[in-house]
Amino acid sequence: KVIDPMSTPEGWRLPYARRIRAATGVPVIAVGQIRWPETAERAVRDGDTDLVALGRPLLADAEWARKAREGRSKDIRPCTSCNYCVTMGSGEDGRIGCAENPRTGRELQALPHAAEGGRVVIVGGGPGGMAAALLAQQAGFDTELLEARDTLGGGLVASAAPPHKDKLQWYQNYLERQLAASAVTVRTGTRAETGPLAGRHPRLVVLAHGGVTNRLPIEGLDAPLVLDAYDLLMGGAAPSLPPPGDALPLLVYGGGETGCETAEYLAERGHHVVLVTRSPARQLARAAEGIYRSVLLQRLRANPLVSLRAETQLMRIGEDGHVDLQPAEGPAEQVRVSRVLIAQ
């Protein structure tokens, strides 16, 4: 079997279905990242196929067909081809799941019902918090969602920013539409503090605010040229970058999924990037989903604007842009860069 990565365009197999249909003269059922009713309808209308088969989209939304029939495409919970279902299904228990639909694989587990009402406060307006708020409201709770930033989305915004991951914006848009149509009270620009939370007398508080980055022991980490890679992907640090094509490269420190995606994000915008990681090259983006990881690393290795320095530690950052690198083997090196982006 072939499982498409997220980067594959929607409906990419339809030209093959059309050729098979023309050559055989028999009814053809098409598959291949058909995610929206409009794509399926167009494929049948234009003669690409006779029928359309859905796999992963039905895990994201079992009511896909009914919503399509009723003309409610915007109410369909989208499949983003993230392949969480594939990865989770390969575990020891074999249970299926969906990153976009928390009820997938748990359909027989009844939601708790707020027979006597009660308030639920969700802290954090990322995808987890947004989905939790919708579930709590569906269960009958008076639900309030607090988000410190001025906009919702949280880590979903950063996840959708790198190249070839724009399908994740489908999910963010869906969650925002559902919240807007629900009875959930959404308060952005609001930090959750113990006193005000207790004053709301909630029956339940759900913490969905993400994690905190540990500060790395690097000399010069507070230099003006140092930026946070996560902030960049969230859209906050982009104005601090030099213009593309600057003579000095940008240094990204960290070879995890965020570091690799940040390197590709910058290279797509015309920047030369030095990707520095303490790990061996074979461990780049090691926590990423396997199918996505394979194509991500293929693109990075083929990108002439990205150079890799594996098994190398960043020791010092000078305000003049000179940084000290210490390879696992060999003498220390000094290179000059225009910015350092920390992706740890």
Side-chain angles (χ1 to χ4, degrees), residues 11 23 71 79-80 84 108 113 124 134 139 147 153 156-157 161 183 193 199 203 230 245 274-275 288 296 316 341:
C79 170
T80 63
Y84 177 83
L108 299 182
H113 184 66
L134 290 169
E147 167 55 40
L156 196 53
V157 176
E193 298 180 1
R203 290 184 58 184
Y230 182 80
V274 179
L275 178 59
L296 170 63
R316 176 184 171 276
L341 291 107

Side-chain angles (χ1 to χ4, degrees), residues 73-120:
S73 290
K74 290 186 176 181
D75 289 333
I76 292 175
R77 182 187 286 104
C79 170
T80 63
S81 305
C82 71
N83 290 323
Y84 177 83
C85 55
V86 179
T87 304
M88 185 176 185
S90 62
E92 291 184 4
D93 59 4
R95 187 176 66 181
I96 198 68
C98 175
E100 279 75 43
N101 187 352
R103 296 288 292 160
T104 298
R106 299 175 174 85
E107 293 85 355
L108 299 182
Q109 298 178 14
L111 283 173
H113 184 66
E116 301 176 0
R119 178 184 297 272
V120 170

Side-chain angles (χ1 to χ4, degrees), residues 7-223:
S7 57
T8 307
E10 187 186 12
W12 72 276
R13 292 181 183 173
L14 289 174
Y16 298 101
R18 186 182 188 92
R19 291 169 61 185
I20 293 172
R21 188 170 182 261
T24 63
V26 301
V28 170
I29 302 175
V31 297
Q33 288 220 25
I34 297 171
R35 298 294 180 252
W36 298 105
E38 294 78 7
T39 304
E41 184 71 26
R42 185 169 55 249
V44 174
R45 183 192 64 220
D46 293 351
D48 291 326
T49 187
D50 298 283
L51 297 168
V52 168
L54 301 175
R56 288 174 285 175
L58 293 181
L59 295 177
D61 195 331
E63 298 182 1
W64 194 102
R66 179 172 66 82
K67 293 176 181 178
R69 185 176 64 244
E70 295 173 355
R72 296 167 51 210
S73 290
K74 290 186 176 181
D75 289 333
I76 292 175
R77 182 187 286 104
C79 170
T80 63
S81 305
C82 71
N83 290 323
Y84 177 83
C85 55
V86 179
T87 304
M88 185 176 185
S90 62
E92 291 184 4
D93 59 4
R95 187 176 66 181
I96 198 68
C98 175
E100 279 75 43
N101 187 352
R103 296 288 292 160
T104 298
R106 299 175 174 85
E107 293 85 355
L108 299 182
Q109 298 178 14
L111 283 173
H113 184 66
E116 301 176 0
R119 178 184 297 272
V120 170
V121 178
I122 314 292
V123 179
M130 296 165 81
L134 290 169
L135 282 174
Q137 191 264 329
Q138 180 184 343
F141 290 98
D142 179 10
T143 307
E144 190 174 11
L145 175 63
L146 309 181
E147 167 55 40
R149 294 177 181 267
D150 293 330
T151 56
L152 297 175
L156 196 53
V157 176
S159 295
H164 310 292
K165 296 188 73 180
D166 53 292
K167 289 187 177 75
L168 290 176
Q169 294 174 354
W170 295 349
Y171 185 44
Q172 180 179 343
N173 295 339
Y174 164 82
L175 289 172
E176 290 178 345
R177 286 194 301 268
Q178 295 300 305
L179 281 172
S182 74
V184 175
T185 300
V186 178
R187 302 189 190 281
T188 55
T190 304
R191 290 189 173 275
E193 298 180 1
T194 304
L197 274 181
R200 288 175 165 85
H201 304 291
R203 290 184 58 184
L204 179 67
V205 175
V206 178
L207 301 181
H209 51 68
V212 178
T213 303
N214 291 326
R215 182 178 173 85
L216 295 174
I218 300 173
E219 183 182 346
L221 201 61
D222 294 322

